[in-house]
Amino acid sequence: MELLWLIIAPFAGGVIAWLIDRIDGGDRRGLPARWVSLLALVFDLALLAAIWAGRHAGTGVGKYGAWFLQLKAGWIPEIGASFHLAMDGLSFLLVFLTVFLGIVSVAVSWNEIKDRVGFFHFNLLWCLAGVIGVFLALDLFLFYFFWEMMLVPMYFLIAVWGHERRRYAAMKFFIFTQLGGLVMLMAILGLYFIHGAQTGVYTFDYFSLIGTRMSAAAAFWLMLGFFTAFAVKLPAVPVHSWLPDAHTEAPTAGSVILAGLLLKTGAYGLLRFLVPLFPAASASFAPVAMAIGVAGILYGAILAFGQTDLKKLIADTSISHMGFILIGVFAWNSLALQGVVMQIICHAISTGMLFILAGALQERIHTRDMGLMGRLWEKVPVMGGVGMVFALASLGLPGLGNFVAEFLILLGAFKANPAMSVLAALGLIVSTVYALRMMQHVFHGEERRGWSLPDLSAREKGVAAAMIILIVWLGLFPQPVIDAASPALQGLEAIAGSQVKIISVAGLGRMTAPPAQASFYRTASGPLKSGALKGDKNERR
Amino acid sequence: MSGADLLALLPLILISISPVAVMLAIAFFRGRGLAAALALLGLFISFVSLPFAASYAPRSVTPLLVIDNYALFYMGLVFAATFAVALLSDGYLRMLRVRSEEFYVLLLLAAAGSAVLVASAHFASFFLGLETLSVSLYALLSYPVTREKAIEAGVKYLVLAAISSAFLLFGMALVYALSGTMEFSGIAAWAAAGIKYSNPVFLGALALIAVGFGFKLAVAPFHMWTPDVYEGAPAPVSAFVATVSKGAVFALFLRYFARVDIHTMGSLALALTVISIASMFAGNLLALLQNNVKRILAYSSIAHLGYLIVAFLASGALRVTAVSFYLVAYFITMLGAFGVVTVLSGPDGDAEDIEGYRGLAARRPVIAGVFSLMLFSLAGIPLTAGFVGKFYIIAAGAGSALWLLISILVINSAIGIYYYVRVIITMYSPAPVEAEEAALPPKSTEPAGPAAPEQAASAAGAIIPIGGGLVLAVLAIGLIWLGVYPSPLLSLIRKTIQSLM
């Protein structure tokens, strides 16, 4: 039930915030709506704390992984869809991130949003609820339901409260993601019917669908369907063009949620669904996907370097950082996966904070054009200092979380595909260039306009302090996060590994448990039988 | 004809008595309220009689009609939708200040025709039902006779419906000449046994019938009349044309082909594939360019019929479920969308200009919310019935490996989002006074005359008519209920289609 409450709280909070604002008439700058939203999210936070304290990993949800909790209820039995939520370490971290950034978003919109405050918070909370649902759903129909559901509120956030070209950007975002989602729906249904035709059981349940036997061609096309949706959300390079527009035009809270959470649903989908459902197909697709990732890293960095719009620049760096996630996922070994989780969290925090700073600047000087800024450090030293910390985080300075993440990913990827890893490492160099250029143009250099602006307010300082503490903590002592995620990641590896083995040892008549640490590339593409059998000595279950 | 036959026919008998009763009543006591009340009562009683009839189903009553759960289900849909239209019309007609008693007679007649249509098992009953429906519609479409556009819509529909009826009749005659029977079951048996689908005369007959159906369903390339008629007709009648008249024809179409694997008839399946693709693209692409909400909905309905044909081309039980569910979702959504247009309309004209919707969310948030829900349902966004419907269509297509069709459906869904969302965002944009028109010469905040019918409406009838409000509330609740928990309807549909399979 806790899992259901996690989703219901923001849903209900959103509705109450909207209603209360209407009744209130909005004459007190929407304070009740803001407090209700905050309350709903704090409730979620408390719930998460309770779940974490009371967890005992390894409850019997499915075969693999370390699940804390699950909730399974009938929903639409006619099509075999159930209301199946479950939480493991990975989901926990991501839901925690969602709630945390949700609170941050409410805080940063405190002064920025003055128009239709209730409706704003309704959309904000419904978007968060959709994201939480995505991170918890273990039924593909339910997953798709939440996946689509978070789009509409986000659309409204951009289209109603965004900047100059908001309607264009919002529409582009909506159409891109909707198209990606529908392609995924086709793939989900393809999987559903293949599984149903084989077993006679038509179900969308994740654990049932894992290990569905299908021809290599079918697996490849279905995998590509899922990949399309996740690549659009991530975004990967050929389908990234919605992102700079959407991030730039969105209000600050929208940018934070987009960069911090919506992009991460793509990464989560790759981890939770794409590889475990189609391990062999994704193994054969890995070189292409990693190449796309490298292209994203370099292309995003080049875009960022040439950018004069501050928010667009930060958006372009997101493309670059998300390339690392693609590489890490498709390297698919423990190191790389741990790196991916770290990257998800650190990028959400660092980029989120950079967007908050850009939003704060825009609120004060009403422009995002870096050509009009310069030498702002003298006027807003605190903002400059915070900006410096997160610019350094973005370029991967050791001691801050992003370094750990990207280092782990590169390390893992080197084992899987050295060439790609070397190319991806170039990203660290170019990121230095764009991050320092950004600092130079905004906070240093010559003064181009005589701006006079106030520094960060106490509320903004509080947000910044929380973010800095987190990013430094993640940089110096990432072990708790890795420990939390590891059992879940090992479960995912085991799912993927076991299937590759089922395929390769088909005919041996015995299902062997997968190795915990072995890269599944060896088992997939090496000399099949011997590779598979060698893995046995490392059994875990 | 036995007593059981009569009991099975009870809904049809009641819905046929209703227009007569209304007609007689208003001959003695003319009054808008009485006519409306009697019409609503007639529809309600007919609806309530469905479960009684169901206990005698399935049953062939004369060679003309078959009363089975499938027919009763669609009759229920027709009655409920007509009930909603009648309630919506009440406030609308009152506002128009026209004599409205005959409106209800015609509406009930149209409902009776549709009910016959969904129960027909014979060319004769099919044609009778269709003509009863069409003839009532000619008058309904141009009911506000002082409006030029309404007259235009009525005449346009009259000419095209007459032509399409001629096509249908010619096709039926050819089929009869070949097979010697006019019963659907007889024709199906004949076609399966003998000449198959290679006989050019039979193919020609099928083509003629398909043209007739195409006009009634307004699928491309027979869709040209739709936007003009929807635009000109009074909004509640547009709702009726978009839902009941199309839904009844489609239900019949499905009944005839439910047991046939359509892909065994190569050329027919190909023709339907082409029609489906053309409808999806024509509807969605042409809607992109519209600034008139009623025309947008008209083009949207063309596209939605294209989606329906995708499900129709699938095979197995899933296709009948998909079509039935989608039709229910489509009924609710289209009724809701046109219902919003209805309650916003003023005496000078319907609320059809998209600019009239600017800032609606600030002025009338509930109506704007309901309209957004309906548009999201048309776009197939979760939490609405349209989402589950679209899911079912894609599932039916995927189950039969119609990858080309569902890929095109997916592309069209993405195109469709543009114009649905465009209407929504217009409602949530600030009112024109503060935005673009700020530069224009200042005008009073009061309605600026006949050029702004919407504003006039918001001032004149800021209170939503109670009937219309009720209908919209029920539709919105139903929409979300089906979007979140479709199970009850699905099991009902499953029961109704057993007699077909």
Side-chain angles (χ1 to χ4, degrees):
Chain A
M1 278 322 274
E2 292 95 325
L3 296 179
L4 190 60
W5 281 111
L6 274 178
I7 297 176
I8 286 181
F11 268 133
V15 174
I16 295 171
W18 194 4
L19 290 179
I20 212 168
D21 191 56
R22 285 216 74 82
I23 295 165
D24 195 49
D27 50 342
R28 279 185 291 159
R29 291 168 42 234
L31 278 181
R34 298 179 203 276
W35 281 110
V36 166
S37 313
L38 216 49
L39 204 68
L41 291 169
V42 168
F43 173 79
D44 262 11
L45 208 58
L47 212 55
L48 279 173
I51 291 173
W52 183 251
R55 77 189 187 284
H56 29 88
T59 12
V61 184
K63 280 179 285 194
Y64 300 102
W67 302 92
F68 306 160
L69 272 176
Q70 79 155 337
L71 171 78
K72 192 168 186 177
W75 184 24
I76 316 176
E78 284 80 4
I79 56 171
S82 60
F83 194 85
H84 190 179
L85 301 174
M87 180 183 263
D88 63 358
L90 178 62
S91 303
F92 175 85
L93 286 172
L94 292 172
V95 174
F96 179 81
L97 186 70
T98 308
V99 176
F100 175 73
L101 287 184
I103 293 174
V104 168
S105 301
V106 174
V108 299
S109 354
W110 211 271
N111 282 344
E112 187 190 356
I113 304 298
K114 299 188 179 77
D115 178 33
R116 279 179 272 178
V117 178
F119 189 49
F120 176 86
H121 286 88
F122 169 80
N123 283 309
L124 189 72
L125 288 181
W126 275 48
C127 188
L128 292 174
V131 172
I132 294 175
V134 162
F135 289 147
L136 294 178
L138 274 195
D139 181 281
L140 286 179
F141 184 82
L142 186 65
F143 174 72
Y144 180 72
F145 186 88
F146 284 126
W147 180 267
E148 293 286 288
M149 217 188 62
M150 63 188 176
L151 299 184
V152 176
M154 185 39 96
Y155 170 83
F156 275 118
L157 286 182
I158 302 174
V160 178
W161 293 273
H163 306 305
E164 309 85 43
R165 292 169 69 227
R166 57 182 178 267
R167 287 177 67 168
Y168 167 78
M171 189 70 85
K172 197 167 172 185
F173 159 77
F174 201 1
I175 292 179
F176 261 80
T177 43
Q178 177 80 12
L179 198 55
L182 284 166
V183 173
M184 176 169 75
L185 176 64
M186 282 164 67
I188 290 176
L189 285 165
L191 183 63
Y192 169 79
F193 283 109
I194 288 176
H195 180 264
Q198 273 174 16
T199 59
V201 182
Y202 286 89
T203 174
F204 287 100
D205 193 67
Y206 176 67
F207 291 113
S208 312
L209 290 175
I210 279 175
T212 303
R213 285 159 193 268
M214 59 192 115
S215 68
F220 179 77
W221 285 107
L222 295 181
M223 187 275 301
L224 213 55
F226 279 82
F227 184 76
T228 310
F230 300 145
V232 168
K233 266 284 168 58
L234 198 55
V237 141
V239 283
H240 65 282
S241 75
W242 63 270
L243 178 132
D245 287 316
H247 279 56
T248 309
E249 302 302 327
T252 305
S255 300
V256 171
I257 291 180
L258 266 173
L261 302 173
L262 257 65
L263 305 193
K264 306 311 185 283
T265 59
Y268 175 80
L270 291 172
L271 279 176
R272 176 77 76 203
F273 294 101
L274 185 100
V275 181
L277 286 172
F278 312 102
S282 26
S284 65
F285 187 65
V288 180
M290 289 172 98
I292 294 174
V294 169
I297 292 175
L298 298 178
Y299 184 65
I302 292 169
L303 282 182
F305 182 69
Q307 200 48 261
T308 55
D309 182 319
L310 181 56
K311 276 184 96 173
K312 223 168 203 158
L313 187 152
I314 303 168
D316 289 333
T317 70
S318 283
I319 301 176
S320 183
H321 287 135
M322 290 298 105
F324 278 100
I325 286 192
L326 209 52
I327 290 175
V329 170
F330 280 89
W332 200 257
N333 52 43
S334 304
L335 281 175
L337 292 182
Q338 286 164 6
V340 167
V341 174
M342 283 296 292
Q343 178 80 338
I344 287 176
I345 295 172
C346 296
H347 174 262
I349 292 169
S350 64
T351 307
M353 192 60 215
L354 283 175
F355 273 124
I356 292 173
L357 288 177
L361 267 178
Q362 184 171 16
E363 204 181 315
R364 288 164 170 77
I365 61 177
H366 305 288
T367 180
R368 304 185 298 269
D369 188 351
M370 299 201 314
L372 301 177
M373 299 173 188
R375 223 171 179 76
L376 290 180
W377 192 297
E378 290 166 7
K379 287 165 186 153
V380 282
V382 180
M383 202 188 275
V386 176
M388 193 69 205
V389 171
F390 286 94
L392 291 177
S394 184
L395 65 80
L397 189 79
L400 300 169
N402 305 50
F403 168 74
V404 180
E406 285 172 10
F407 184 73
L408 279 172
I409 290 177
L410 290 175
L411 211 56
F414 194 80
K415 285 207 292 189
N417 193 333
M420 289 296 172
S421 182
V422 168
L423 284 173
L426 287 177
L428 291 175
I429 301 175
V430 283
S431 66
T432 316
V433 179
Y434 66 65
L436 292 182
R437 176 177 165 273
M438 178 184 78
M439 282 307 291
Q440 173 72 19
H441 270 255
V442 177
F443 292 107
H444 302 283
E446 335 174 352
E447 184 166 354
R448 291 177 189 83
R449 293 282 166 92
W451 301 111
S452 66
L453 61 162
D455 209 338
L456 292 182
S457 68
R459 183 176 37 79
E460 286 165 328
K461 278 180 191 157
V463 170
M467 297 287 232
I468 291 178
I469 290 170
L470 264 179
I471 202 82
V472 171
W473 178 55
L474 288 168
L476 297 179
F477 190 54
Q479 200 57 38
V481 170
I482 292 176
D483 285 345
S486 270
L489 294 175
Q490 279 167 12
L492 292 175
E493 282 183 79
I495 292 171
S498 74
Q499 284 181 76
V500 172
K501 199 150 324 149
I502 292 168
I503 294 160
S504 57
V505 216
L508 284 186
R510 191 171 69 92
M511 266 179 58
T512 44
Q517 301 285 321
S519 149
F520 80 107
Y521 290 91
R522 209 176 351 149
T523 28
S525 54
L528 285 179
K529 283 192 176 175
S530 59
L533 290 174
K534 258 184 233 158
D536 281 0
K537 60 181 185 255
N538 212 350
E539 258 184 34
R540 70 173 287 286
R541 188 63 175 262
Chain B
M1 190 180 275
S2 65
D5 281 353
L6 283 175
L7 280 172
L9 276 185
L10 196 59
L12 273 180
I13 295 171
L14 287 171
I15 194 67
S16 309
I17 290 174
S18 309
V20 181
V22 176
M23 200 157 47
L24 285 176
I26 58 176
F28 294 104
F29 314 99
R30 266 196 99 75
R32 189 195 329 254
L34 177 72
L38 269 180
L40 292 174
L41 185 71
L43 286 164
F44 180 73
I45 293 178
S46 310
F47 189 87
V48 169
S49 72
L50 291 170
F52 294 106
S55 51
Y56 296 95
R59 165 180 297 270
S60 285
V61 188
T62 72
L64 294 180
L65 295 169
V66 53
I67 304 290
D68 53 8
N69 284 335
Y70 180 81
L72 293 173
F73 174 75
Y74 277 98
M75 278 186 208
L77 204 54
V78 165
F79 297 156
T82 313
F83 192 88
V85 171
L87 262 181
L88 282 171
S89 317
D90 181 47
Y92 186 84
L93 293 168
R94 196 170 304 166
M95 171 205 69
L96 276 187
R97 302 204 173 80
V98 290
R99 282 216 164 277
S100 62
E101 291 84 354
E102 286 79 7
F103 185 91
Y104 293 101
V105 179
L106 292 165
L107 196 63
L108 287 172
L109 263 180
S114 310
V116 170
L117 206 54
V118 297
S120 59
H122 194 278
F123 274 152
S125 49
F126 163 45
F127 197 71
L128 278 176
L130 194 62
E131 287 302 293
T132 314
L133 170 64
S134 301
V135 171
S136 322
L137 279 179
Y138 304 149
L140 279 175
L141 286 170
S142 38
Y143 199 81
V145 282
T146 49
R147 284 191 192 171
E148 265 176 45
K149 271 179 165 182
I151 304 285
E152 181 198 332
V155 172
K156 217 162 220 170
Y157 191 77
L158 168 66
V159 173
L160 283 170
I163 293 174
S164 74
S165 296
F167 270 93
L168 261 181
L169 273 182
F170 193 8
M172 289 176 188
L174 285 179
V175 171
Y176 179 59
L178 286 172
S179 67
T181 175
M182 291 209 282
E183 281 176 55
F184 294 154
S185 53
I187 295 166
W190 167 82
I195 316 172
K196 304 289 179 207
Y197 295 91
S198 54
N199 181 336
V201 179
F202 184 58
L203 280 180
L206 277 183
L208 290 170
I209 294 178
V211 171
F213 267 105
F215 272 112
K216 298 290 176 201
L217 295 176
V219 288
F222 315 109
H223 62 281
M224 308 291 186
W225 60 273
T226 324
D228 293 341
V229 169
Y230 283 27
E231 185 190 354
V237 181
S238 301
F240 190 86
V241 178
T243 55
V244 176
S245 106
K246 281 189 187 183
V249 174
F250 205 94
L252 177 77
F253 193 40
L254 182 66
R255 170 198 287 285
Y256 181 64
F257 285 106
R259 261 169 296 185
V260 189
D261 183 9
I262 197 125
H263 293 280
T264 58
M265 321 179 189
S267 47
L268 187 60
L270 182 67
L272 282 174
T273 308
V274 171
I275 286 178
S276 163
I277 294 173
S279 303
M280 289 192 270
F281 275 117
N284 282 320
L285 290 178
L286 292 173
L288 293 179
L289 308 169
Q290 301 302 325
N291 284 321
N292 181 314
V293 172
K294 279 163 94 182
R295 287 182 86 89
I296 288 179
L297 290 174
Y299 282 115
S300 154
S301 85
I302 295 170
H304 279 272
L305 264 293
Y307 301 159
L308 264 172
I309 297 178
V310 172
F312 182 80
L313 282 166
S315 50
L318 199 52
R319 100 170 150 158
V320 188
T321 319
V323 169
S324 293
F325 190 90
Y326 201 85
L327 272 177
V328 176
Y330 171 83
F331 266 55
I332 293 179
T333 313
M334 273 291 166
L335 283 173
F338 277 111
V340 170
V341 176
T342 307
V343 299
L344 289 178
S345 294
D348 302 319
D350 283 358
E352 47 191 21
D353 185 5
I354 193 168
E355 285 305 311
Y357 287 78
R358 189 170 291 278
L360 189 69
R363 277 176 288 148
R364 304 169 85 173
V366 180
I367 293 279
V370 170
F371 201 25
S372 307
L373 267 180
M374 298 300 160
L375 290 166
F376 277 131
S377 176
L378 287 174
I381 304 295
L383 288 180
T384 62
F387 167 75
V388 183
K390 196 200 285 177
F391 168 83
Y392 249 102
I393 285 194
I394 296 182
S400 308
L402 302 173
W403 297 108
L404 172 73
L405 276 174
I406 57 174
S407 304
I408 289 174
L409 194 158
V410 161
I411 292 168
N412 273 286
S413 297
I415 301 175
I417 284 172
Y418 179 81
Y419 59 87
Y420 296 127
V421 168
R422 187 170 150 240
V423 178
I424 294 172
I425 198 61
T426 306
M427 293 192 290
Y428 286 89
S429 299
V433 194
E434 312 145 33
E436 291 89 334
E437 293 179 24
L440 295 176
K443 57 179 183 181
S444 65
T445 47
E446 290 305 306
E454 214 306 296
Q455 289 189 353
S458 64
I463 301 160
I464 304 157
I466 193 154
L470 201 66
V471 169
L472 290 182
V474 170
L475 288 174
I477 290 167
L479 190 81
I480 291 180
W481 184 44
L482 287 185
V484 175
Y485 191 58
S487 267
L489 179 65
L490 286 172
S491 58
L492 179 68
I493 289 175
R494 178 160 291 188
K495 259 181 238 153
T496 65
I497 65 174
Q498 270 161 3
S499 56
L500 283 192
M501 302 310 292

